[in-house]
Amino acid sequence: MTTYSNSTRRYLLGLGCERGTDWNDVRLLAERAMQEAGIGADQLLAVVSIDTRMNEPAMLEVATHFRLPLRCFNVAALERETPRLKNPSELVFAHVGCHGVAEAAALAAAGPDAELVVPKIKSAFATAAIARIA
């Protein structure tokens, strides 16, 4: 498991979206998640997601917009986070093979002692969550 650390950037923005989702929809959801966490983009280490979205235009645009790297995890790594998810989903599991994307990616990137500060929030075609490194 790869974790990320920085003294001032202690948050990971987990995102999930359907293929072809407009990047502005994902951006607005990401901004809503940051607002709920009470943080700015300057406190984020990375945008994180599932590896099947590593070339998704919306994900790439959002990461570029916030000047952050996009880091992606495979299904097995995300599924290992299931016990820590606040909102596991059988529907997500049926579609992608893990019980969550946004929450799981944020937790996987933030490490074993991380906590979700914003559990999964949703728009019509995307999800977002924020985890804080312990």
Side-chain angles (χ1 to χ4, degrees), residues 15-21 48-60 70-78 92-98 100-102 105 127:
L15 295 175
C17 72
E18 292 185 22
R19 290 200 187 279
T21 300
V48 293
S49 192
I50 191 168
D51 60 3
T52 58
R53 295 297 181 265
M54 74 170 60
N55 294 313
E56 184 65 29
M59 294 292 183
L60 296 168
L70 173 63
R71 303 286 183 244
C72 295
F73 295 87
N74 65 32
V75 168
L78 297 182
V92 173
F93 184 80
H95 285 300
V96 298
C98 59
V101 173
T127 59

Side-chain angles (χ1 to χ4, degrees), residues 1-126:
M1 175 182 349
T2 302
T3 58
Y4 304 94
S5 176
N6 180 299
S7 59
T8 59
R9 294 178 179 256
R10 300 190 56 202
Y11 297 88
L12 284 298
L13 172 63
L15 295 175
C17 72
E18 292 185 22
R19 290 200 187 279
T21 300
D22 182 89
W23 86 274
N24 278 308
D25 292 343
V26 180
R27 177 187 56 82
L28 289 171
L29 187 63
E31 289 173 349
R32 187 175 125 209
M34 286 185 281
Q35 183 178 22
E36 288 187 21
I39 64 169
D42 62 334
Q43 293 175 275
L44 293 171
L45 273 170
V47 173
V48 293
S49 192
I50 191 168
D51 60 3
T52 58
R53 295 297 181 265
M54 74 170 60
N55 294 313
E56 184 65 29
M59 294 292 183
L60 296 168
E61 288 287 336
V62 168
T64 298
H65 175 77
F66 293 120
R67 296 184 177 115
L68 294 168
L70 173 63
R71 303 286 183 244
C72 295
F73 295 87
N74 65 32
V75 168
L78 297 182
E79 183 61 11
R80 281 193 295 273
E81 299 299 329
T82 299
R84 300 198 300 158
L85 301 182
K86 300 285 186 198
N87 300 288
S89 169
E90 291 298 326
L91 182 62
V92 173
F93 184 80
H95 285 300
V96 298
C98 59
H99 284 86
V101 173
E103 287 184 351
L107 288 166
D113 297 322
E115 65 176 332
L116 286 171
V117 293
V118 177
K120 178 175 72 177
I121 59 174
K122 300 190 288 186
S123 67
F125 303 105

